[in-house]
């Protein structure tokens, strides 16, 4: 997958305006985000954003994984389109889909594609149409850890599965030692944290465990945490905060939340060397994704067991979920305008600077075509 390098320098000026805001939002990113304006620096790309007939308020909710990206997009977009106010509430993918199918929001964010029963439910509010998945944001799910005296840590899928299933409970366990022969692993209890809310991040993380360690992970992938034991926290920012402040902690969250000194696990795959959680390494896996949705639905199938050198295996794609037909007439112009910016070259270009992976060109081109046809 290409990272759209050709406009990196031009994008840097706009991205700098965003980076300061991101530093402030990461720790509290599960609070409701609102914006109805922007400063002069955020308007660097205003000339490239088409407001058209967009006006009024857009209510949206869902994935907390994309909250930092949404913050960046809202800051840029509302600097240009001052007649639009966007309120995005990072309630988690499951809650976001529920709010959308109940007609409470113009669009939802979800780190998992719609299930058949959710598509059926969406037909009640999408007059003459249904909800569809638009892949907009990609990136690695990092496994963050806090082990005193350990700066580099490699784990494989079976070991991770046993840690999060409460089968490996101490950091100096033989399985961890074998993968890290040079590390000084302390005699310290493992504090494994998982999401308390329904989460597409959990869904993707458990899909990885199920695909890469089926003998050790007996649970079916799900937005809700199915394994026994461990501790929980709300949202991506919640589990990241627990890792930061708890000695012996380990959890999973998007790379953009691995801030303020949080270290991340290198994942051992079939490749020769463990793979670091980076945007570049995640793109190798996302680039191999296949579109499996039908019609205008652009749901992707990810490969959680890549063997390519440097391909990071734990990735997710966040979808914007919207009606293909039957969108509310009062919010449709603003919805299309904002989504068009998100999918534009400028909108996608902001992602890498914010710790996310842009969509491959062949996929984002289809997204743009689909947005233009929304009615």
């Amino acid at each position: 997958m290409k990272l759209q390098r050709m406009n990196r320098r031009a994008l840097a000026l706009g991205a700098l305006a965003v980076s300061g805001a991101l530093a402030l939002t990461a720790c509290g990113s599960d609070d409701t985000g609102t914006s109805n304006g922007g400063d002069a620096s955020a308007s660097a790309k205003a000339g490239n954003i088409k407001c058209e007939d967009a006006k009024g308020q857009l209510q949206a909710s869902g994935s907390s994984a994309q909250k930092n990206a949404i913050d960046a997009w809202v800051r840029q977009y509302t600097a240009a389109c001052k007649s639009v106010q966007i309120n995005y509430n990072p309630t988690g993918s499951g809650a976001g889909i529920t709010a959308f199918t109940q007609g409470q929001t113009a669009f939802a964010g979800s780190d998992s594609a719609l299930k058949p029963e959710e598509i059926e439910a969406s037909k009640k509010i999408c007059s003459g149409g249904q909800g569809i998945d638009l892949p907009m944001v990609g990136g690695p799910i990092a496994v963050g850890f806090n082990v005193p005296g350990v700066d580099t840590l490699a784990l494989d899928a079976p070991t991770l599965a046993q840690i999060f299933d409460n089968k490996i409970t101490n950091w100096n366990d033989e399985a961890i030692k074998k993968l890290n022969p040079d590390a000084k692993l302390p005699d310290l209890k493992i504090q494994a944290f998982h999401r308390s809310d329904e989460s597409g991040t959990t869904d993707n993380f458990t899909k990885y465990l199920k695909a890469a360690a089926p003998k050790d992970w007996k649970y079916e992938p799900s937005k809700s945490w199915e394994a026994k034991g461990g501790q929980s926290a709300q949202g991506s920012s919640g589990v990241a905060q627990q890792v930061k402040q708890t000695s012996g902690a380990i959890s999973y969250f998007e790379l953009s939340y691995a801030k303020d000194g949080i270290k991340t696990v290198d994942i051992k795959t079939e490749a020769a060397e463990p793979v670091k959680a980076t945007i570049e390494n995640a793109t190798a896996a996302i680039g191999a994704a296949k579109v499996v949705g039908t019609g205008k639905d652009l749901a992707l199938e990810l490969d959680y067991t890549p063997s390519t050198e440097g391909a990071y295996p734990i990735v997710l794609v966040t979808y914007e979920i919207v009606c293909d037909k039957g969108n509310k007439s009062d919010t449709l112009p603003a919805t299309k305008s904002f989504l068009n910016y998100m999918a534009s070259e400028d909108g996608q270009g902001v992602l890498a600077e914010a710790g996310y992976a842009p969509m491959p060109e062949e996929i984002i081109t289809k997204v743009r075509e689909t947005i233009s046809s929304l009615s």
Side-chain angles (χ1 to χ4, degrees), residues 162-220:
Q162 292 178 62
I163 287 173
F164 280 94
D165 196 24
N166 207 33
K167 299 292 175 56
I168 293 178
T169 58
N170 220 62
W171 280 110
N172 64 353
D173 187 275
E174 288 301 321
I176 302 177
K177 284 183 177 180
K178 185 176 180 180
L179 291 165
N180 300 272
D182 298 326
K184 295 182 179 179
L185 296 164
D187 182 7
L188 177 67
K189 183 180 178 181
I190 295 174
Q191 307 283 349
F193 287 88
H194 57 264
R195 291 278 291 270
S196 60
D197 52 320
E198 284 201 350
S199 161
T201 310
T202 296
D203 193 24
N204 281 276
F205 182 62
T206 54
K207 282 178 180 176
Y208 160 74
L209 294 177
K210 186 67 173 179
K215 293 181 180 179
D216 296 287
W217 192 257
K218 303 299 184 181
Y219 311 96
E220 289 302 314

Side-chain angles (χ1 to χ4, degrees), residues 140-143 255 264-267 275-282 312:
I141 299 175
V143 179
L255 183 61
T264 60
V265 172
D266 299 341
I267 303 298
V275 186
K276 294 185 179 299
T278 67
I279 295 299
E280 291 76 14
N281 291 343
Y312 186 79

Side-chain angles (χ1 to χ4, degrees), residues 59-75:
Q59 301 293 337
S61 65
S63 164
S64 64
Q66 70 168 358
K67 179 57 166 58
N68 291 337
I70 289 284
D71 284 347
W73 281 326
V74 167
R75 184 176 175 85

Side-chain angles (χ1 to χ4, degrees), residues 221-264:
S222 173
K223 291 187 181 74
S224 59
W225 188 256
E226 301 295 334
K228 306 300 185 290
Q231 303 173 66
S232 64
Q234 174 79 23
S236 296
S237 64
V239 290
Q241 183 65 21
Q242 289 297 330
V243 170
K244 181 181 177 182
Q245 67 187 22
T246 306
S247 179
I250 186 170
S251 190
Y252 57 92
F253 39 79
E254 299 69 42
L255 183 61
S256 63
Y257 289 89
K259 297 179 180 294
D260 302 324
I262 294 178
K263 303 177 183 67
T264 60

Side-chain angles (χ1 to χ4, degrees), residues 18-319:
V18 176
S19 60
L22 290 174
L24 295 174
T25 60
C27 291
S29 62
D30 284 278
D31 296 327
T32 300
T34 63
S35 179
N36 60 358
D39 57 26
S41 61
S43 65
K45 297 181 179 301
N48 296 331
I49 297 175
K50 297 179 181 180
C51 305
E52 299 176 340
D53 298 323
K55 61 182 178 180
Q57 289 193 5
L58 275 187
Q59 301 293 337
S61 65
S63 164
S64 64
Q66 70 168 358
K67 179 57 166 58
N68 291 337
I70 289 284
D71 284 347
W73 281 326
V74 167
R75 184 176 175 85
Q76 297 283 9
Y77 178 81
T78 55
C81 305
K82 299 183 185 298
S83 60
V84 180
Q85 181 180 26
I86 300 170
N87 303 297
Y88 184 80
N89 191 356
T91 53
S93 298
I97 291 174
T98 297
F100 175 74
T101 57
Q102 292 178 348
Q104 299 172 9
T105 54
F107 68 91
S110 176
D111 307 320
S112 298
L114 289 166
K115 296 179 179 179
E117 60 270 25
E118 293 169 339
I119 293 176
E120 192 63 31
S122 72
K123 294 179 181 179
K124 296 178 181 179
I125 56 100
C126 299
S127 180
Q130 65 177 50
I132 57 173
D133 301 286
L134 302 178
M136 197 75 75
V137 186
I141 299 175
V143 179
F145 69 96
N146 180 349
V147 182
V150 179
D151 293 325
T152 302
L153 184 70
L155 297 173
D156 58 13
T159 307
L160 278 170
Q162 292 178 62
I163 287 173
F164 280 94
D165 196 24
N166 207 33
K167 299 292 175 56
I168 293 178
T169 58
N170 220 62
W171 280 110
N172 64 353
D173 187 275
E174 288 301 321
I176 302 177
K177 284 183 177 180
K178 185 176 180 180
L179 291 165
N180 300 272
D182 298 326
K184 295 182 179 179
L185 296 164
D187 182 7
L188 177 67
K189 183 180 178 181
I190 295 174
Q191 307 283 349
F193 287 88
H194 57 264
R195 291 278 291 270
S196 60
D197 52 320
E198 284 201 350
S199 161
T201 310
T202 296
D203 193 24
N204 281 276
F205 182 62
T206 54
K207 282 178 180 176
Y208 160 74
L209 294 177
K210 186 67 173 179
K215 293 181 180 179
D216 296 287
W217 192 257
K218 303 299 184 181
Y219 311 96
E220 289 302 314
S222 173
K223 291 187 181 74
S224 59
W225 188 256
E226 301 295 334
K228 306 300 185 290
Q231 303 173 66
S232 64
Q234 174 79 23
S236 296
S237 64
V239 290
Q241 183 65 21
Q242 289 297 330
V243 170
K244 181 181 177 182
Q245 67 187 22
T246 306
S247 179
I250 186 170
S251 190
Y252 57 92
F253 39 79
E254 299 69 42
L255 183 61
S256 63
Y257 289 89
K259 297 179 180 294
D260 302 324
I262 294 178
K263 303 177 183 67
T264 60
V265 172
D266 299 341
I267 303 298
K268 183 71 176 71
T269 66
E270 294 300 317
E273 297 295 329
V275 186
K276 294 185 179 299
T278 67
I279 295 299
E280 291 76 14
N281 291 343
T283 60
I286 297 175
K290 299 178 181 178
V291 176
V292 294
T294 58
K296 294 182 179 180
D297 188 87
L298 299 176
L300 301 177
E301 183 178 80
L302 298 170
D303 180 6
Y304 294 102
T305 58
S307 57
T308 305
E309 294 290 335
Y312 186 79
I314 320 176
V315 297
L316 62 73
V317 169
T318 299
Y319 301 92

